[in-house]
Each structure stands twice: as structure tokens, then as C-alpha cells.
């Protein structure tokens, strides 16, 4: 603690923007938190405050000499003002953080080449994450800040400010959610090597702390040799009176994709078939695949075989009605995958499996979209890997990158990824999926004041359209749907249509909740209303309720039986009434697809096959038939 206090006093003396009292307050031991979301909140706060302080010291002193005169001279009055707001934000001024972020974003748009501005913009973004209330926003801004810092370092690898800042950010972010230990190691190693050549860049206390961080990082990655190396440097430092002599940089090994020789080891055609059936099939298919892989892995040393087995084991809980099993299996598989990739960082096939596993997990509970995003971005940068895997893998990765952005509420980036994929002319299947996503985000918010109860037909028409877009994934449409149907329900309290759509809109809010408690509250309230609001055999309303029941996770809500009952009733009504039925032909085709999935999940394989054959007979070129073909379910 005495050494720590000495360091804090030194920082306060050297930096006019940081006072000793604030630093001492920030140096207190962090409180233990409960739950993953509190863990993210606490660690992001620590990362922000500590990294920003050190980065500021670095910029205001010797690091500017290394960055170069051109960066130092580029500071404008606006930048100086933004830095002041940035520093006030470090001390806890949330309004100043927003001002700094806004100004830095403006300056960056005007001076794209100014790396100092961009580094500060990344810092300000992480401060926004610190102050955000929802976990989704915390992750969103942390990722935005990291992206800026990554690209600054990529453009100028010897930019000391960005290295120093990014290293501390990466070190303090929870690795389960961000996978940044490698980044921290890279930046801290760089800083140590620079210090060994020029001891004026850091104080001895700063240098000691970075060495300790490296010792910790290498222990966490099970690299005991390097951990011992930096531990020894610490011991030598205690005995030495002069700065350590510079040591040579470790040579960076070129990362190349090492594909498996199918004739000797790794995945073969039979193993791939078992895995694909499990991925797209039932719990029985998963059990068969696991039985195969448990034997197969004993005779195949390739890490991807082990990775596929881990993924299969996680699928056991996919359709489980036991929530403890669901969460326990997911967490075990996450940790096992992360560990395997740390052991084999050069094997890019492992990252594909982890990315897709991460995208399958509910983001609200597991927060793995950031891992998927980072894995996919690294894969898409490796031209050799993409060439070996082929165009179809590239198309799928680009589409999945958009999904990861979407899960992180980074809509602009998601649309950008899908537009980039569309430019490659990927074929009808992928283009249809892209168009479907674009259609969701084409929804434009309307002025609800223009919809009056005096014209219920117009109100109902627009409100149904809002609900349709909300069900497809538009958060704005879902919010407006709830308001519109609430208005309709108040004007017509006895109307079954208004009551049912209102209940469906309430349940839909759970999909866009920012925390699990709100998700359960909204969903349960909506399901409770749906249970009693339908009093007739109206196919439109039963279709609406059946599709909501079908979308509910069985492990939480146990609605599969209710979904099958509603959809079978609607199917019979449409086949009897035809065009006179209150559902459209498009909805009927969708019903056949979803009903088949429900049958399959509940092990009614004959009924599923019969229902899908009917779908293919009705419209073999429909989007739902294309989905069956892509899932190999049309045989």
C-alpha cells in the first residue's frame, strides 16, 4: 500500500488533471460483486479509470516524444477542450463524458488520420460503457472503444499511447466475454521492451505493475515458462539500481491455418454427418453423435475433433426442460472451448465452432456475441484460410458477423456486413436472408397521433403491420405496436382482436429486454393474457398465439404442447375454408414449417416428415422450403 500511495502521489504531481485525492479514492480495493452482469460493470469501470489515468500521464509526458511531433502539433483547441472533458469524465462526471465523446467523434470525422484523436475517442467510448445502465450498452461501447484502439495500433504499431491504453483496457475486461488476454499480453510485452530500451518512458512503479500483469496473464494462459521469465525480471529489478538492459523482442510466429489431413486425423465425412444431424436434428440425433464422437476422439488427436465433441455435449441441454442443466452445460462448454483455443491459437477451425456456438446462446444470459464477433472478424481477415474453406464458408461467416453485430445492438455495423455480403452476389439463399434482415430494419417509426380510434380499420391495419415487424426483430416496431394496441384495447375493451394483439405485444417486449428480470416479467405477463383473451375459434388469433408459444424456450415456459394445439387447429381451419380463412397462404406455409419443427423437437418424427412433405407439395420454391433444404430436412 505504501508503494501504491507513492505511485499515486507521483502521478498526481506529474499530471495537472489528476489530483491526489481522486487517485487515492480510485486506489481503494474493489468490492466483490455478484453475478456476471455486476462483474462486467465493475471490471469495465476499473479498466476505464485506471487505463485513462495512465494513458493521460503517458500523453502529457514522454510518450508524445515517441508518437512524433506531427501528432503533438495537431492538437486543436477543440481537442484540448475534449481532453479536459475526458479527464473530468474519468473523475466521474458523466455529462463531461458525453461531451468528450461527442466532440471527439466530430473531430475524428474531420481528421480521420489523426491517431491521437481516435485513441481518445476509443477511451471516451469505454467511459460511456462505464456509465451505461444496461449490460448491452456497456458491451456495445466497450467494443466500440476497443475497435478504435485496435485500428489505431494496426495503423501505427509503435504508438505508445494506444498501446498503453489498450493494454490496460484489455487486461481488465472479463475474458469470458471479450477474450482480450492475448491483446493485453501483446501490448504489455511491447511496453516492457520499449522501457528496456528507454527507461524514461515509464516510472519504475508503472514498469513493475506491467511486469506483474504479465506474470498474471501468463499464469492464466498456463504459460509457466514466460510467467517465470517476467517474475525473474521483477526479482532482478529489486536488486538493480539502474534500469534493466533492453532485451530482444520475441519473434512473432506467423499464424497459418493448419487444416487436418482427413486420411490421417481430424474430421472425416462420417464424423461431419453425425455432427450436422445433431445440429439440425433432435435430442436423439445429439445422443447418437456424442456416442460416435466419444469413440472417435480417442483415435484422433486433432483439436477440432475435441472441439466438435464439446459443442455436441452443449447441445444436450438445448431442448432440456431443466434450466440448471441448460445453464450448466452452456457455461462448461464456453470454458472448455476458450481453454482449447488458448492451447491452439493457430487453429482457425476452432474459432468457427466457438463463434457459431456463441451465436446459438441467448445473449441476454451469456453475453457471447462479442466473442463471436471477434472470432469471425479474425477469420475474415485470413485470406489463406478463406481460400481453403471456399466461398460458401466466407458467405456464412459474413452473414454471421452481421448477426453478432445485431445481437450487440450495433445495427449500422450489422447492415454494413450484410451489404458487403450482398455485393459479392452470394446466391439466392443468402440474398433471401439478407433481404429479410433489411426488410426488418426498413421499418420507419410513425407518428401514433395520426392513428385515431375514430377510424379503427386504419388503426388495426397499421398496428398489425407494426406487430409483424416487431415479431421479425424490429425493436422500434415492437414498441409502437404495444402503444397502438393499448390504444385500440382501451377504445374497444370487448374486442377479442385488440386484446389478443395487445397480449402478444406485451410478450414481445421480453424479446428486447435488457436484463433477464424484465424479460421474464414481460413474457410471463403476455403469456398470462394470451391464455384467456381468445374466446372464439378465430384462426388469425390462434395462429398469432401459436407462433408465440412456438418461439418460447421450452426449458423456461413449457409451451410446446400449447403451440402444437393452436397450430393444428389453424391448419385444419385453413384446409377446410381455403381463401375464406382469416390467415393468408403465406402464413399457412409458415405454419407448416413451424409445426414440423415442433413435431421434430418433441420426437414425433413421422408427423414432422408428413407435415414437411405437405409444405414441399404446396410450394416447393417458398422460403420455408428453402430453409428445409438448407437444413437437409427434405429427404
Amino acid at each position: 500500500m505504501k508503494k501504491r500511495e507513492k505511485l499515486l502521489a507521483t502521478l498526481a504531481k506529474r499530471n495537472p488533471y489528476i489530483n491526489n485525492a481522486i487517485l487515492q479514492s480510485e486506489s481503494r480495493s474493489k468490492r466483490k460483486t455478484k453475478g456476471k452482469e455486476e462483474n462486467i460493470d465493475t471490471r469495465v469501470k476499473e479498466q476505464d479509470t485506471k487505463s485513462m489515468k495512465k494513458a493521460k500521464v503517458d500523453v502529457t509526458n514522454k510518450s508524445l516524444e515517441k508518437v512524433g511531433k506531427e501528432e503533438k502539433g495537431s492538437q486543436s483547441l477543440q481537442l484540448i477542450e475534449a481532453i479536459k472533458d475526458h479527464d473530468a469524465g474519468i473523475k466521474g462526471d458523466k455529462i463531461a463524458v458525453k461531451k468528450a465523446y461527442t466532440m471527439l467523434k466530430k473531430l475524428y470525422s474531420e481528421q480521420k488520420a489523426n491517431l491521437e484523436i481516435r485513441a481518445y475517442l476509443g477511451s471516451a467510448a469505454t467511459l460511456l460503457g462505464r456509465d451505461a445502465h444496461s449490460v448491452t450498452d456497456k458491451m456495445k461501447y466497450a467494443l466500440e472503444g476497443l475497435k478504435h484502439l485496435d485500428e489505431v495500433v494496426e495503423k501505427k504499431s509503435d504508438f505508445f499511447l494506444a498501446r498503453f491504453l489498450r493494454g490496460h483496457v484489455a487486461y481488465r475486461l472479463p475474458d469470458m466475454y471479450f477474450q482480450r488476454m492475448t491483446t493485453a499480453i501483446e501490448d504489455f510485452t511491447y511496453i516492457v521492451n520499449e522501457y528496456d530500451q528507454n527507461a524514461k518512458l515509464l516510472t519504475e512503479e508503472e514498469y513493475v505493475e506491467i511486469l506483474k500483469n504479465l506474470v498474471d496473464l501468463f499464469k492464466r494462459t498456463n504459460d509457466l515458462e514466460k510467467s517465470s521469465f517476467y517474475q525473474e525480471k521483477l526479482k532482478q529489478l529489486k536488486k538493480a539500481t539502474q534500469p534493466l538492459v533492453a532485451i530482444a523482442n520475441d519473434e512473432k510466429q506467423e499464424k497459418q491455418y493448419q487444416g487436418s489431413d482427413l486420411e490421417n486425423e481430424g474430421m472425416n465425412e462420417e464424423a461431419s454427418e453425425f455432427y450436422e444431424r445433431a445440429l439440425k436434428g433432435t435430442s436423439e440425433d445429439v445422443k447418437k453423435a456424442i456416442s460416435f464422437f466419444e469413440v472417435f476422439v480417442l483415435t484422433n488427436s486433432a483439436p477440432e475433433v475435441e472441439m466438435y465433441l464439446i459443442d455436441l455435449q452443449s447441445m444436450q441441454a438445448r431442448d432440456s426442460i431443466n434450466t440448471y442443466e441448460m445453464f450448466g452445460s452452456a457455461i462448461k462448454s464456453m470454458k472448455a472451448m476458450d481453454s482449447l483455443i488458448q492451447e491452439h491459437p493457430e487453429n482457425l477451425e476452432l474459432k468457427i465452432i466457438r463463434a457459431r456456438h456463441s451465436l446459438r446462446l441467448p445473449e441476454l444470459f451469456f453475453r457471447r456475441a462479442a466473442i463471436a464477433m471477434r472470432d469471425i472478424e479474425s477469420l475474415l481477415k485470413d485470406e489463406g484460410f478463406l481460400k481453403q474453406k471456399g466461398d460458401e464458408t466466407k458467405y456464412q461467416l459474413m452473414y454471421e458477423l452481421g448477426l453478432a453485430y445485431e445481437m450487440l445492438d450495433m445495427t449500422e455495423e450489422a447492415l454494413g456486413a450484410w451489404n458487403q455480403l450482398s455485393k459479392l452476389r452470394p446466391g439466392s439463399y443468402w440474398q433471401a436472408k439478407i433481404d429479410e434482415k433489411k426488410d426488418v430494419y426498413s421499418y420507419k417509426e410513425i407518428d401514433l397521433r395520426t392513428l385515431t380510434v375514430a377510424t379503427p380499420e386504419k388503426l388495426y391495419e397499421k398496428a398489425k403491420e407494426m406487430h409483424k415487424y416487431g415479431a421479425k426483430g424490429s425493436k422500434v416496431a415492437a414498441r409502437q405496436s404495444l402503444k397502438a394496441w393499448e390504444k385500440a384495447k382501451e377504445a374497444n375493451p370487448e374486442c377479442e382482436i385488440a386484446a389478443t394483439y395487445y397480449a402478444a405485444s406485451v410478450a414481445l417486449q421480453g424479446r428486447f429486454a435488457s436484463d433477464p428480470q424484465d424479460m421474464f416479467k414481460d413474457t410471463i405477463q403476455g403469456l398470462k393474457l394470451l391464455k384467456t383473451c381468445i374466446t372464439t375459434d378465430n384462426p388469425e388469433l390462434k395462429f398469432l398465439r401459436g407462433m408465440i408459444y412456438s418461439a418460447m424456450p421450452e426449458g423456461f415456459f413449457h409451451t410446446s404442447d400449447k403451440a402444437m394445439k393452436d397450430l393444428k387447429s389453424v391448419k385444419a381451419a385453413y384446409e377446410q375454408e381455403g381463401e375464406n380463412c382469416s390467415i393468408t397462404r403465406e402464413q399457412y406455409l409458415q405454419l407448416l414449417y413451424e409445426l414440423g419443427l415442433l413435431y421434430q423437437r418433441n420426437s414425433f418424427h413421422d408427423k414432422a416428415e408428413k407435415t414437411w412433405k405437405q409444405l414441399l407439395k404446396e410450394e416447393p420454391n417458398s422460403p420455408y422450403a428453402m430453409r428445409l433444404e438448407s437444413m437437409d430436412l427434405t429427404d
Side-chain angles (χ1 to χ4, degrees):
M1 287 301 296
K2 289 182 179 179
K3 289 182 178 179
R4 180 63 178 162
E5 289 173 3
K6 182 180 178 181
L7 170 60
L8 295 173
T10 302
L11 292 175
K13 183 177 180 181
R14 289 169 58 187
N15 193 328
Y17 296 112
I18 302 176
N19 63 65
N20 194 46
I22 291 293
L23 285 172
Q24 288 182 2
S25 174
E26 292 295 333
S27 71
R28 295 172 184 169
S29 298
K30 63 179 182 181
R31 296 188 296 272
K32 292 184 179 180
T33 58
K34 297 180 180 180
K36 295 178 183 175
E37 296 184 0
E38 293 178 349
N39 185 44
I40 294 175
D41 189 13
T42 302
R43 298 193 74 169
V44 169
K45 285 181 180 179
E46 292 175 355
Q47 160 254 305
D48 283 325
T49 54
K50 194 169 185 180
S51 297
M52 301 308 169
K53 292 168 190 171
K54 288 186 173 291
K56 182 60 187 176
V57 170
D58 180 56
V59 169
T60 56
N61 291 278
K62 300 299 181 181
S63 67
L64 281 176
E65 297 176 7
K66 185 163 189 64
V67 172
K69 295 181 180 179
E70 66 279 4
E71 266 108 352
K72 185 176 180 180
S74 68
Q75 286 192 348
S76 63
L77 292 176
Q78 288 181 322
L79 177 57
I80 293 173
E81 191 65 29
I83 292 173
K84 288 181 181 179
D85 286 329
H86 172 271
D87 292 327
I90 292 173
K91 299 173 185 179
D93 189 337
K94 296 180 181 180
I95 296 176
V97 170
K98 293 179 181 178
K99 288 172 62 180
Y101 177 79
T102 301
M103 179 56 68
L104 289 165
K105 197 166 187 178
K106 176 178 178 294
L107 290 171
Y108 172 62
S109 69
E110 298 169 351
Q111 303 179 55
K112 294 284 187 181
N114 191 313
L115 300 185
E116 183 182 359
I117 290 175
R118 193 167 189 190
Y120 269 109
L121 177 58
S123 299
T126 61
L127 283 172
L128 280 180
R130 179 199 67 185
D131 298 336
H133 294 293
S134 74
V135 178
T136 299
D137 285 343
K138 289 180 183 296
M139 294 192 73
K140 174 183 175 181
Y141 287 118
L143 289 169
E144 179 185 337
L146 284 169
K147 184 171 183 176
H148 283 301
L149 289 166
D150 285 343
E151 293 185 7
V152 168
V153 173
E154 187 175 336
K155 290 179 180 179
K156 189 175 179 64
S157 61
D158 63 347
F159 192 174
F160 200 85
L161 163 64
R163 288 282 196 170
F164 200 102
L165 177 59
R166 189 180 70 164
H168 284 85
V169 169
Y171 177 65
R172 284 168 177 79
L173 287 174
D175 204 56
M176 179 176 287
Y177 302 101
F178 293 93
Q179 291 287 295
R180 282 289 181 153
M181 279 199 293
T182 303
T183 305
I185 289 172
E186 177 188 335
D187 289 340
F188 285 154
T189 302
Y190 171 85
I191 291 168
V192 167
N193 291 334
E194 290 295 303
Y195 176 85
D196 287 342
Q197 297 177 50
N198 181 4
K200 295 181 180 180
L201 289 172
L202 302 170
T203 66
E204 185 176 301
E205 289 85 352
E206 291 169 338
Y207 179 61
V208 167
E209 183 174 0
I210 289 175
L211 288 178
K212 288 180 178 179
N213 290 345
L214 282 170
V215 171
D216 175 56
L217 285 164
F218 283 120
K219 282 182 179 179
R220 284 155 61 184
T221 56
N222 296 318
D223 193 336
L224 300 183
E225 182 179 350
K226 289 186 178 178
S227 178
S228 298
F229 172 78
Y230 287 103
Q231 186 70 54
E232 186 62 29
K233 287 177 75 70
L234 279 169
K235 291 179 182 178
Q236 292 174 8
L237 188 63
K238 292 179 181 179
K239 300 176 182 178
T241 57
Q242 299 295 330
L244 293 173
V245 177
I247 61 173
N249 287 325
D250 293 332
E251 294 184 0
K252 295 183 179 179
Q253 298 180 350
E254 183 178 357
K255 293 184 178 181
Q256 295 180 342
Y257 173 67
Q258 298 178 350
S260 298
D261 184 347
L262 297 180
E263 295 180 0
N264 297 319
E265 65 176 2
M267 294 291 287
N268 58 28
E269 186 176 347
E270 184 181 17
S272 298
E273 287 178 358
F274 268 103
Y275 175 78
E276 290 298 324
R277 287 197 204 106
L279 184 63
K280 301 165 183 176
T282 66
S283 57
E284 290 300 318
D285 294 314
V286 174
K287 290 178 182 178
K288 290 177 183 178
I290 290 176
S291 296
F292 172 85
F293 269 82
E294 285 176 341
V295 177
F296 185 63
V297 74
L298 299 177
T299 58
N300 291 266
S301 60
E304 57 263 33
V305 174
E306 183 180 351
M307 195 73 156
Y308 277 114
L309 176 57
I310 294 170
D311 197 19
L312 286 166
Q313 290 168 336
S314 75
M315 292 181 200
Q316 283 186 307
R318 181 180 58 189
D319 302 319
S320 174
I321 61 173
N322 186 323
T323 53
Y324 291 102
E325 182 181 344
M326 290 174 63
F327 280 93
S329 177
I331 292 171
K332 286 179 182 178
S333 62
M334 286 159 52
K335 291 182 177 179
M337 286 183 175
D338 292 347
S339 178
L340 193 58
I341 287 179
Q342 287 175 9
E343 293 175 20
H344 306 278
E346 78 288 346
N347 192 321
L348 301 187
E349 185 74 26
L350 304 184
K351 290 189 176 183
I352 289 185
I353 304 168
R354 181 172 68 174
R356 290 172 182 167
H357 174 264
S358 298
L359 291 176
R360 293 202 312 267
L361 295 174
E363 177 67 4
L364 190 60
F365 296 103
F366 297 102
R367 303 294 174 181
R368 291 287 282 186
I371 301 298
M373 180 197 74
R374 183 160 173 78
D375 281 344
I376 296 171
E377 286 181 337
S378 68
L379 293 169
L380 289 172
K381 288 180 180 179
D382 194 310
E383 293 296 334
F385 172 76
L386 294 176
K387 185 177 181 180
Q388 183 168 0
K389 298 298 289 185
D391 286 343
E392 196 62 24
T393 296
K394 181 178 181 179
Y395 298 154
Q396 184 170 359
L397 287 171
M398 293 178 71
Y399 180 77
E400 289 169 341
L401 179 60
L403 294 181
Y405 284 138
E406 183 181 40
M407 291 168 70
L408 292 164
D409 205 22
M410 299 169 70
T411 304
E412 185 176 341
E413 289 82 355
L415 290 171
W418 292 324
N419 284 331
Q420 189 176 358
L421 173 56
S422 184
K423 291 177 182 178
L424 298 179
R425 301 182 181 277
S428 58
Y429 173 74
W430 291 112
Q431 191 58 54
K433 294 176 77 67
I434 294 169
D435 292 342
E436 187 176 356
K437 286 294 184 181
K438 287 184 177 181
D439 181 53
V440 171
Y441 292 106
S442 69
Y443 177 83
K444 302 297 182 183
E445 189 171 7
I446 67 172
D447 187 351
L448 293 176
R449 292 174 298 181
T450 62
L451 303 176
T452 66
V453 295
T455 54
E457 296 83 5
K458 185 69 173 178
L459 172 61
Y460 280 35
E461 178 187 349
K462 286 293 183 181
K464 286 181 181 181
E465 182 181 359
M466 293 173 193
H467 187 273
K468 181 186 75 171
Y469 276 97
K472 285 183 176 182
S474 172
K475 185 187 299 187
V476 175
R479 184 179 65 248
Q480 288 209 298
S481 172
L482 179 62
K483 292 180 180 179
W485 284 113
E486 186 176 24
K487 179 187 291 188
K489 183 173 174 290
E490 289 174 353
N492 303 282
E494 303 300 322
C495 178
E496 184 182 39
I497 294 176
T500 305
Y501 272 97
Y502 172 75
S505 296
V506 171
L508 190 58
Q509 300 310 300
R511 176 176 177 178
F512 303 105
S514 59
D515 66 74
Q517 185 175 357
D518 287 341
M519 185 276 284
F520 281 112
K521 182 189 71 174
D522 292 335
T523 304
I524 291 172
Q525 181 185 357
L527 292 177
K528 185 176 180 180
L529 294 171
L530 282 169
K531 185 177 180 180
T532 58
C533 62
I534 301 177
T535 58
T536 67
D537 289 328
N538 187 324
E540 177 189 358
L541 302 184
K542 285 194 172 183
F543 173 82
L544 177 64
R545 185 172 67 180
M547 294 301 291
I548 291 174
Y549 284 155
S550 178
M552 294 292 110
E554 185 65 11
F556 291 126
F557 300 106
H558 313 296
T559 54
S560 286
D561 289 341
K562 296 175 183 177
M564 285 189 286
K565 182 178 179 181
D566 274 346
L567 295 184
K568 283 192 292 184
S569 173
V570 177
K571 178 176 179 291
Y574 183 86
E575 290 170 356
Q576 181 177 357
E577 301 174 20
E579 295 182 358
N580 295 323
C581 188
S582 56
I583 69 167
T584 65
R585 178 171 175 76
E586 173 71 16
Q587 289 174 321
Y588 175 63
L589 297 175
Q590 183 182 3
L591 180 154
L592 293 176
Y593 174 77
E594 292 291 339
L595 186 56
L597 289 179
L598 284 167
Y599 283 143
Q600 187 191 47
R601 290 174 198 153
N602 289 273
S603 299
F604 299 127
H605 304 301
D606 292 341
K607 290 184 177 181
E609 183 179 354
K610 182 179 179 181
T611 304
W612 283 332
K613 282 184 177 179
Q614 187 175 352
L615 169 60
L616 295 172
K617 182 179 178 181
E618 289 283 343
E619 188 55 68
N621 297 319
S622 70
Y624 306 106
M626 291 175 64
R627 290 184 194 177
L628 292 177
E629 290 174 359
S630 70
M631 296 168 63
D632 295 326
L633 297 174
T634 56
D635 295 336

